[in-house]
């Protein structure tokens, strides 16, 4: 981790009319760091994530991102073309429901290759080879390259979505409940895979989850949200082993012990 | 006192070329804008025409807006001058504009077409008007119009290659044979209307003005003369046009687009020029294919 943050978030607030989405959230994210945002549903996690990923316009506050040339840019001041370019090259967004992040009617290979073609790759053989490699890395058999994601199981779809996002070697990945809706053994494999990829590629990630086990496994640092406000943040192990706020204590003690 | 209403002559007459002058001005403004931004789809207030959508209402409106009394009009449908759509539209403009009509490509100043570009090279001063069913090349990949317009605006055309990628993945080659997407003047990706990709190279740096009208979709776009029109492809799967094994059975022409005609119920077939004017002219000049009607033998 270098000394300059990758993402600087300052006092982000989002209001839906009089209702609070999230309020005055500030943090820094360093290269290679994985941050988990946890909280119960309705606590503003996803709103915060969407504000950071420019999928929503925050009502107030600023998000700065360090571009590849080292310059800090404020996202809301970038042109839409720049933002969209950033989203499909330097960033990734993994949706909870893979159908939102994949093109269900085109083959797995084209799903992975789309970002490459979007940045100007025009050699079919190369695109296909890269797509095949990535399918291998996310443990999808290469002979499924011409199948549509419709024919894939939930876990495979989620892994395909991850491959599709990582193919342009992004530096920052946003994940919204990446393991939601998957059964436990599939979850475990996906988490294993994600942990490996994050480590190998030196990715920074912001993961929104209500599952504290996911946060424990993947993240270095975590933020606990309640009613749109960050009530506690710190190193993941510290927060989970020694929660200070009453709500965090409740959250940690609510984990099912099997 | 009611003014005298002309009984026989006045009431049932149409304005020249059917559309009222305000509508023509509106369409001409859209055409001028389209010419100024080659390949860009300009919205226009498409009118109800006395024919159903899908029969060329867009092309007819464009033709009506640019038609003058001295123009010579040719209308083709799949290359032929004598099919229903072509005959009806030609008769329509004869009736409402009293313009000269022709089947000869060379003599026409305006050619309205459905699904073909004439074989004969078009020249400066001629205008080719295309009937377009679906002007948006990205439609089947991205159904949201708000999103496709944004993609055009930001020049995000990766998705177009996704379609070609799928073609190759499924068929081993680019299997799109008509409405093959092109990039106009290095900027906008455009649907050339459902012409066979055989005709795509004819659009490139054409001397004639090419106008596209989509009536139901309410869009007009244009390719001005001498404009770059490049068909999209991959480096290792370059764009190719269709080729035919045999020449035209009637006129013996090669390197033209052929239609398959079923001759009997025993599997008999022949391939003939889809451009009827081109075929007739070649026959008149003494070119003969292997199934050509032989006058001397018949006598």
């Amino acid at each position: 981790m270098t000394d300059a943050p990758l993402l600087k978030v300052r006092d982000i607030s989002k209001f839906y009319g009089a209702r609070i989405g999230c309020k005055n959230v500030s943090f820094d994210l360093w290269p290679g760091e994985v941050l988990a945002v946890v909280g119960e549903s309705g606590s503003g996690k996803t709103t915060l994530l969407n504000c950071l990923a420019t999928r929503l316009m925050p009502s107030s506050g600023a998000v700065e991102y360090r571009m590849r040339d080292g310059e800090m840019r404020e996202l809301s001041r970038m042109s839409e073309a720049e933002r969209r370019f950033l989203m499909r090259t330097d960033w990734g967004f993994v949706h909870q429901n893979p159908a939102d992040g994949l093109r269900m009617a085109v083959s797995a290979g084209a799903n992975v290759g789309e970002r490459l073609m979007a940045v100007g790759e025009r050699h079919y053989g190369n695109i296909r080879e890269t797509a095949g490699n990535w399918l291998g890395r996310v443990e999808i058999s290469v002979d499924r390259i011409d199948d549509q994601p419709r024919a894939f199981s939930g876990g495979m779809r989620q892994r395909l979505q991850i491959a599709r996002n990582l193919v342009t070697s992004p530096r920052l990945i946003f994940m919204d409940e990446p393991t939601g809706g998957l059964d436990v053994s599939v979850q475990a494999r996906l988490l294993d895979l994600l942990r490996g990829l994050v480590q190998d590629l030196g990715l920074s990630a912001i993961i929104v989850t209500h599952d504290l086990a996911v946060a424990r496994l993947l993240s270095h640092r975590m933020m606990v949200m309640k009613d749109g406000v960050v009530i506690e943040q710190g190193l993941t192990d510290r927060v989970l082993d020694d929660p200070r706020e009453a709500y965090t204590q409740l959250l940690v003690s609510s984990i099912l012990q099997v | 006192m009611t003014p005298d209403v002309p009984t026989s002559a006045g009431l049932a007459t149409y304005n020249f070329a059917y559309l009222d002058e305000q509508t023509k001005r509106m369409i001409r403004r859209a055409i001028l804008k389209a010419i100024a931004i080659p390949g860009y789809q300009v919205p226009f207030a498409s009118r109800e025409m006395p024919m159903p959508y899908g029969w060329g209402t867009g092309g007819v409106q464009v033709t009506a807006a640019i038609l003058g009394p001295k123009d010579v009009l040719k209308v083709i449908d799949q290359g032929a001058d004598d099919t229903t759509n072509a005959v009806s539209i030609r008769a329509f403009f004869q009736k409402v504009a009293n313009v000269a009509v022709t089947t000869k490509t060379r003599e026409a100043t305006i050619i309205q077409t459905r699904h073909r570009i004439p074989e004969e090279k078009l020249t400066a001063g001629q205008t080719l008007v295309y009937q377009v069913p679906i002007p948006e090349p990205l439609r089947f990949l991205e159904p949201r119009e708000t999103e496709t317009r944004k993609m055009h605006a930001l020049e995000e055309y990766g998705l177009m290659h996704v379609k070609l990628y799928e073609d190759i993945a499924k068929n081993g080659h680019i299997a799109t044979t008509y409405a093959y997407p092109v990039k106009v003047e290095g900027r906008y990706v455009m649907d050339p209307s459902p012409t066979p990709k055989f005709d795509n190279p004819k659009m490139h740096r054409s001397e004639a003005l090419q106008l596209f009208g989509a009536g139901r979709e309410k869009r007009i776009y244009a390719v001005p003369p001498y404009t770059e029109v490049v068909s999209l492809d991959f480096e290792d799967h370059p764009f190719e046009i269709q080729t035919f094994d045999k020449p035209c059975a009637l006129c013996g022409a090669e390197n033209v687009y052929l239609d398959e005609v079923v001759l009997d119920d025993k599997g008999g077939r022949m391939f003939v020029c889809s451009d009827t004017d081109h075929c007739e002219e070649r026959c008149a000049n003494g070119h003969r294919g292997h199934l050509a009607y032989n006058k001397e033998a018949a006598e």
Side-chain angles (χ1 to χ4, degrees):
Chain A
M1 291 183 202
T2 60
D3 46 358
L6 188 67
L7 195 72
K8 256 180 165 169
V9 181
R10 290 293 172 268
D11 295 323
I12 283 287
S13 301
K14 174 71 185 175
F15 300 99
Y16 299 105
R19 209 159 280 145
I20 296 171
C22 62
K23 199 173 159 192
N24 293 336
V25 179
S26 302
F27 66 89
D28 289 337
L29 185 76
W30 274 268
E33 188 183 33
V34 179
L35 174 74
V37 182
V38 300
E40 62 193 4
S41 65
S43 61
K45 309 182 297 273
T46 302
T47 297
L48 174 65
L49 191 76
N50 285 336
C51 284
L52 301 178
T54 70
R55 293 159 55 82
L56 270 180
M57 259 304 165
S59 308
S60 64
V63 182
E64 285 180 60
Y65 178 71
R66 194 155 56 81
M67 309 294 280
R68 287 199 188 213
D69 59 9
E71 189 195 351
M72 289 301 280
R73 294 283 304 273
E74 197 184 320
L75 297 178
S76 61
R77 301 220 172 143
M78 289 163 93
S79 69
E80 187 170 13
E82 285 176 299
R83 274 204 301 268
R84 285 173 68 121
F85 185 74
L86 197 66
M87 286 191 80
R88 62 171 193 259
T89 54
D90 224 12
W91 289 4
F93 197 104
V94 177
H95 296 259
Q96 174 173 9
N97 179 3
D100 296 339
L102 292 171
R103 291 193 190 278
M104 299 303 278
V106 307
S107 69
N111 261 298
V112 179
E114 179 178 344
R115 278 181 162 220
L116 295 173
M117 294 182 248
V119 294
E121 176 62 66
R122 291 290 178 266
H123 192 284
Y124 173 81
N126 294 351
I127 293 168
R128 199 169 168 80
E129 196 187 320
T130 311
N133 284 343
W134 269 103
L135 289 184
R137 287 178 84 160
V138 297
E139 296 165 19
I140 296 174
S141 149
V142 176
D143 60 16
R144 302 297 299 270
I145 192 167
D146 290 332
D147 290 354
Q148 293 182 2
R150 277 180 204 176
F152 286 8
S153 68
M156 281 171 81
R157 287 181 190 184
Q158 197 57 286
R159 278 177 276 143
L160 180 63
Q161 195 191 181
I162 289 164
R164 172 179 159 93
N165 274 290
L166 294 182
V167 68
T168 47
S169 320
R171 294 190 300 158
L172 176 58
I173 297 282
F174 299 97
M175 291 191 233
D176 189 2
E177 307 274 9
T179 57
L182 301 177
D183 66 54
V184 192
S185 62
V186 176
Q187 266 192 33
R189 273 176 65 201
L190 187 73
L191 287 173
D192 213 31
L193 174 77
L194 272 177
R195 200 150 66 153
L197 286 173
V198 165
Q199 246 162 32
D200 291 351
L201 304 171
L203 286 175
S204 302
I206 298 178
I207 299 175
V208 160
T209 179
H210 60 261
D211 187 338
L212 293 181
V214 170
R216 163 94 78 179
L217 265 174
L218 286 178
S219 68
H220 303 117
R221 206 148 58 92
M222 69 190 273
M223 294 196 325
V224 183
M225 286 185 80
K226 185 172 188 331
D227 300 331
V229 184
V230 175
I231 54 165
E232 183 164 0
Q233 56 177 313
L235 296 176
T236 302
D237 291 344
R238 203 283 293 155
V239 173
L240 290 177
D241 295 341
D242 178 22
R244 288 177 194 169
E245 294 293 320
Y247 174 73
T248 317
Q249 291 168 3
L250 180 74
L251 206 63
V252 171
S253 64
S254 312
I255 299 176
L256 274 179
Q257 304 292 334
V258 187
Chain B
M1 289 280 284
T2 51
D4 285 338
V5 177
T7 45
S8 59
L11 264 183
T13 57
Y14 293 101
N15 188 36
F16 178 79
Y18 186 74
L19 293 174
D20 61 277
E21 292 305 313
Q22 285 301 318
T23 298
K24 287 195 213 168
R25 287 183 64 181
M26 174 271 293
I27 295 175
R28 287 174 196 146
R29 278 198 295 269
I31 292 173
L32 287 174
K33 181 169 179 181
I35 293 171
I37 318 171
Y40 171 72
Q41 300 165 45
V42 183
F44 80 111
S46 177
R47 297 289 191 251
E48 288 292 324
M49 297 301 283
M51 59 201 301
Y53 285 137
W55 287 57
T57 52
V60 164
Q61 289 181 75
V62 170
T63 302
I66 62 172
L67 198 65
K70 287 181 186 159
D71 273 312
V72 182
L73 181 68
K74 171 181 161 84
V75 184
I76 51 173
D77 172 6
Q78 309 274 11
D81 293 278
D82 53 2
T83 48
T84 315
N85 200 226
V87 170
S88 312
I89 292 174
R90 200 161 53 227
F92 173 74
F93 280 114
Q94 270 181 302
K95 185 171 176 184
V96 299
N98 196 26
V99 289
V101 294
T102 181
T103 58
K104 297 252 175 295
T105 301
R106 202 171 308 127
E107 291 168 6
T109 55
I110 297 172
I111 303 171
Q112 183 171 331
T113 177
R114 173 172 177 267
H115 300 189
R116 271 315 305 280
I117 297 174
E119 300 292 356
E120 189 173 329
K121 189 165 172 276
L122 300 179
T123 54
Q126 287 185 307
T127 303
L128 189 59
V129 178
Y130 296 76
Q131 302 170 195
V132 182
I134 294 167
E136 180 51 73
L138 302 162
R139 171 71 52 86
F140 293 106
L141 302 152
E142 175 53 69
R144 289 169 295 175
E145 179 83 11
T146 47
E147 182 68 12
T148 55
R149 294 182 77 164
K150 201 167 274 176
M151 290 161 81
H152 282 294
L154 301 177
E155 230 183 319
E156 284 180 10
Y157 290 131
L159 204 50
M160 209 69 248
H161 275 87
V162 170
K163 179 178 186 296
L164 300 180
Y165 172 97
E166 284 287 276
D167 256 12
I168 303 173
K170 272 189 204 137
N171 306 298
H173 60 97
I174 298 178
T176 305
T177 52
Y178 66 95
Y180 192 102
V182 294
K183 196 165 211 182
V184 181
E185 204 63 13
R187 178 60 180 84
Y188 283 96
V189 165
M190 183 187 92
D191 182 343
S193 86
T195 51
K197 65 179 174 182
F198 181 89
D199 286 340
N200 275 16
K202 292 183 197 153
M203 307 178 76
H204 179 61
R205 300 192 63 80
S206 165
E207 291 176 22
L209 170 64
Q210 303 173 75
L211 302 176
F212 299 76
R216 183 188 52 211
E217 303 284 328
K218 301 172 174 52
R219 294 287 184 276
I220 285 173
Y221 50 103
V223 175
Y226 308 106
T227 302
E228 304 270 327
V229 179
V230 180
S231 305
L232 301 180
D233 59 2
F234 284 105
E235 286 158 17
D236 47 347
H237 286 269
F239 172 76
E240 283 170 348
I241 60 173
Q242 292 101 330
T243 53
F244 299 89
D245 303 334
K246 290 181 192 163
C248 170
L250 295 180
C251 74
E254 291 182 33
N255 303 321
V256 294
Y257 194 74
L258 302 180
D259 283 341
E260 183 179 13
V261 180
V262 175
L263 296 174
D264 50 37
D265 57 0
K266 300 180 189 70
R269 283 165 167 47
M270 69 172 180
F271 288 86
V272 295
C273 288
S274 105
D275 186 338
T276 52
D277 170 56
H278 182 72
C279 196
E280 280 161 18
E281 186 172 318
R282 278 180 59 86
C283 288
N285 289 339
H287 296 279
R288 286 287 180 269
H290 73 283
L291 286 177
Y293 173 65
N294 194 330
K295 220 175 180 181
E296 288 134 36
E299 284 163 359

